[in-house]
Amino acid sequence: MSAAHIPARPEWRCTGCAEPWPCATKREQLTAEYTDNPAELRTLMALRVADAAEDLRQYGQEQLWQRFLGWLPAPGPGPIIRWVANPPLGGLRRSLPPREQIDPRTSGSAAQAAAAQVSTLPGPPAGSGPKRIPPPRRSRRSTR
């Protein structure tokens, strides 16, 4: 049975070997455990360094970063994200059908046919818009 390599707070020393956590053994364990998901390992260690920053105020941010995140393998290209259910902000970009060019000098059926294709939606009935509600009146009591 091997010793557990967990951090002992507030010193953040390994309970198995008393080295600064994560010790070399714990780094190997974590790297092997998260081989298929290195992004999750980076997230886990980022959370750990945030916790450790509370306890290890005597160290600078560069030292904490090196200790908790500096040993991690460099991130590779991420997965390709495909927008399936929810399109990105701005909505799905659809190309509009090409517009026909109408020569205004031409009169007759081509211009009339193009004008007939344009449809307009009727506007709302008069008086059906939102009502403007005036703000409440404030009393004008003097403060004598």
Side-chain angles (χ1 to χ4, degrees):
M1 182 172 151
S2 65
H5 293 275
I6 57 175
R9 292 180 73 172
E11 298 86 20
W12 287 84
R13 293 267 177 198
C14 178
T15 56
C17 61
E19 292 293 317
W21 193 89
C23 63
T25 304
K26 187 61 176 181
R27 290 177 185 182
E28 289 175 17
Q29 288 174 354
L30 289 169
T31 304
E33 185 178 343
Y34 290 94
T35 300
D36 295 337
N37 198 349
E40 189 174 342
L41 176 57
R42 292 185 88 66
T43 302
L44 173 74
M45 294 310 295
L47 293 171
R48 292 288 183 259
V49 76
D51 289 340
E54 296 283 323
D55 295 331
L56 303 174
R57 293 177 188 255
Q58 68 270 23
Y59 296 107
Q61 63 184 7
E62 183 64 30
Q63 290 173 310
L64 289 175
W65 187 90
Q66 275 300 95
R67 180 171 164 180
F68 286 87
L69 296 165
W71 59 272
L72 293 170
I80 297 172
I81 299 173
R82 291 187 171 91
W83 301 103
V84 178
N86 297 321
L89 292 177
L92 183 61
R93 304 281 183 203
R94 294 185 189 141
S95 59
L96 298 173
R99 293 185 176 182
E100 288 186 36
Q101 295 293 323
I102 300 174
D103 188 356
R105 296 172 287 170
T106 314
S107 62
S109 63
Q112 291 171 352
Q117 289 180 352
V118 176
S119 65
T120 59
L121 296 174
S128 67
K131 305 285 186 224
R132 184 174 185 276
I133 301 172
R137 292 184 168 222
R138 295 184 182 158
S139 65
R140 295 186 182 208
R141 291 185 181 172
S142 61
T143 56
R144 290 186 200 190

